[in-house]
Amino acid sequence: MSVADRPSKFSPCSPKIHQIKWDTSLQNPATRKLVNESHAIFLTLQKIATEVKDNALKEQLVKISRRYRSVLSACVENLQNDADSAHDGEIKNEYILQSELFYKLELIWNLCEILFIDIKPGGVILCQLLEWIRLHFTEGDRKMEVVLEQENPWEQQEAWDAVFCFVFQGRTEDARKLLQTHPNSSRDDFSSMDELLRKMPFYQSVTTCSLTEFKLRWHHWQDECVRRLQDGEFAAVDGLEATCKILCGDWEMFQELSELCETWYHLMVSRLLYTDPTVKAHDLFSIAQECTTMFDSVNQMTHLDNTLLAAMEFDLQQVIRECGLYLDSWWFVAHLTDLLHHGGQLDLQQLSYSKNLREFQLIDYASSLMTHQR
């Protein structure tokens, strides 16, 4: 018997064709709607990129980015509604996990929009970061709703925790309104705190106030906070004293109340608000590293944490790599890479293969879509 005539060691084998299919989170009605709506946004972007140039293109890219975030947020809401209406425990849990995933995607996309798309003149970034954490962290509102339902809300620690949450996010008007419900709100120490919160300056690049003028105003305001704290104006009420220490940028008080910030990046933005309100985008990474250490999260960093850190380090290649590692579909990296490519950000990082990178992500995303049954 010749070698060619010998039976294969693998025989007998089943004459079946096996279809290889990626696991993907884009296979239910809520996420398929995301695919369809984002496709229309993608086509609009390709048209705009060929017709609009320079500053007008930048404005359009910001609008496109916000449209992407809008459909992401709608997807999260739809998945949460599906989870609420699901009767099967396993299906309900799947919807919850998917809603958490797309929530994180919107969080990452929002930060990338701030750092790489909606770049403000002068590079001062804090106001945008404040909007970022206000949108994604609403614990202060929840605590306020709970305590105001109580007969004696200020007997609850959560009342002061709500005040701290608002102050951490620069929501001084909300903190003032809540403090005005305190039975001693007309007393001098409460009036003094109300004045400090009311006068707290915020920098807006669109205002006529120059950066130098703002810095002078801000340092003058914080010096006043320090003086009143040292004079003991708030010594009679622990909550007022703690609030003033936050305004003074007291790092020990930030550490003591860090749990109210929930994450290291919330803590980072809150700390910057009271220590360096004119921080530039390129200074974020070193401060972020300090806050991860303070949160003791260095040894348990998640893919989300690593992605946010990579964005703050302006390492887009690592952002894309991290997202590819923990996502089971190419939707996010394909659309984000396309947007960054049209914004010239990949070229700015001297990625000579930026065009090929974009095409690679789009092809993989299209291939994953082709595995869908419908």
Side-chain angles (χ1 to χ4, degrees):
M1 180 183 294
S2 67
V3 174
D5 293 331
R6 292 176 185 172
S8 167
K9 65 179 180 180
F10 298 108
S11 64
C13 61
S14 175
K16 294 181 179 179
I17 297 176
H18 298 274
Q19 180 184 14
I20 298 176
K21 181 177 178 181
W22 280 296
D23 289 331
T24 176
S25 56
L26 299 178
Q27 306 291 3
N28 64 62
T31 53
R32 293 304 292 182
K33 184 178 180 182
L34 170 70
V35 170
N36 295 335
E37 292 182 353
S38 59
H39 176 66
I41 300 173
F42 173 82
L43 293 179
T44 301
L45 174 56
Q46 309 316 303
K47 182 179 180 181
I48 288 173
T50 60
E51 298 176 353
V52 183
K53 302 298 179 183
D54 302 327
N55 290 336
L57 176 58
K58 176 188 172 183
E59 293 176 4
Q60 291 299 320
L61 290 177
V62 173
K63 292 179 180 179
I64 289 290
S65 180
R66 289 173 180 172
R67 285 180 62 187
Y68 272 122
R69 289 202 294 114
S70 178
V71 296
L72 270 171
S73 298
C75 181
V76 172
E77 185 176 352
N78 290 336
L79 287 167
Q80 290 173 341
N81 292 336
D82 290 340
D84 292 338
S85 59
H87 300 292
D88 184 281
E90 185 174 343
I91 295 176
K92 182 183 184 73
N93 187 56
E94 181 65 23
Y95 281 135
I96 292 173
L97 291 175
Q98 288 189 354
S99 69
E100 292 174 350
L101 169 65
F102 284 98
Y103 168 84
K104 292 175 182 177
L105 293 185
E106 201 280 329
L107 181 79
I108 296 169
W109 191 296
N110 196 345
L111 180 61
C112 288
E113 177 185 301
I114 292 170
L115 295 174
F116 305 109
I117 305 298
D118 190 15
I119 303 171
K120 300 299 183 184
V124 177
I125 200 171
L126 187 62
C127 284
Q128 291 169 284
L129 293 177
L130 283 173
E131 289 299 322
W132 180 50
I133 63 168
R134 288 169 185 171
L135 179 63
H136 295 94
F137 297 94
T138 57
E139 185 66 9
D141 296 288
R142 189 198 67 79
K143 289 181 179 296
M144 183 176 67
E145 290 177 4
V146 170
V147 298
L148 292 182
E149 291 175 354
Q150 307 297 321
E151 184 175 350
N152 299 304
W154 287 97
E155 293 181 1
Q156 312 295 323
Q157 177 57 37
E158 281 200 328
W160 283 109
D161 287 346
V163 172
F164 302 148
C165 286
F166 289 146
V167 174
F168 277 141
Q169 296 185 0
R171 296 171 57 182
T172 53
E173 288 303 310
D174 292 317
R176 290 178 63 207
K177 290 176 182 177
L178 185 54
L179 285 170
Q180 286 165 7
T181 68
H182 194 283
N184 296 324
S185 60
S186 60
R187 215 168 60 187
D188 288 347
D189 48 359
F190 279 86
S191 297
S192 178
M193 176 55 65
D194 183 79
E195 181 186 10
L196 291 177
L197 292 171
R198 178 172 55 83
K199 290 184 175 180
M200 181 179 174
F202 291 90
Y203 179 73
Q204 299 285 353
S205 58
V206 295
T207 64
T208 56
C209 176
S210 69
L211 191 59
T212 301
E213 290 173 329
F214 169 77
K215 288 180 178 179
L216 289 173
R217 287 178 53 199
W218 187 83
H219 284 297
H220 176 76
W221 168 82
Q222 193 169 68
D223 288 344
E224 181 66 17
C225 294
V226 172
R227 185 189 65 77
R228 296 189 189 189
L229 179 67
Q230 292 176 344
D231 288 347
E233 287 192 19
F234 309 113
V237 181
D238 291 342
L240 288 180
E241 190 170 54
T243 302
C244 192
K245 286 182 178 180
I246 296 173
L247 300 183
C248 294
D250 187 306
W251 183 230
E252 290 185 1
M253 184 53 60
F254 276 85
Q255 291 177 304
E256 184 177 331
L257 300 175
S258 61
E259 289 186 1
L260 295 177
C261 289
E262 302 180 61
T263 66
W264 62 265
Y265 40 95
H266 187 330
L267 175 68
M268 178 194 73
V269 176
S270 299
R271 180 185 176 188
L272 287 171
L273 177 61
Y274 298 105
T275 57
D276 190 4
T278 58
V279 65
K280 303 293 182 68
H282 287 280
D283 297 324
L284 289 179
F285 183 66
S286 60
I287 303 166
Q289 288 181 307
E290 292 179 16
C291 290
T292 58
T293 301
M294 204 239 91
F295 244 81
D296 196 26
S297 56
V298 176
N299 296 323
Q300 50 186 356
M301 295 288 283
T302 65
H303 282 298
L304 172 62
D305 295 320
N306 289 329
T307 304
L308 297 176
L309 276 175
M312 293 176 192
E313 197 176 9
F314 283 75
D315 188 346
L316 282 176
Q317 187 174 357
Q318 185 63 23
V319 170
I320 294 168
R321 183 184 296 113
E322 288 289 343
C323 291
L325 286 173
Y326 81 91
L327 302 181
D328 66 353
S329 83
W330 295 96
W331 181 93
F332 182 83
V333 289
H335 286 290
L336 181 62
T337 302
D338 179 62
L339 181 66
L340 294 170
H341 167 76
H342 288 300
Q345 286 297 325
L346 299 182
D347 295 327
L348 284 175
Q349 298 209 357
Q350 298 181 336
L351 297 181
S352 58
Y353 56 90
S354 62
K355 184 177 180 181
N356 292 333
L357 175 62
R358 168 183 174 269
E359 292 178 355
F360 171 78
Q361 303 294 353
L362 291 174
I363 289 171
D364 275 353
Y365 173 53
S367 300
S368 69
L369 290 180
M370 292 299 290
T371 66
H372 193 256
Q373 296 297 323
R374 295 184 297 277

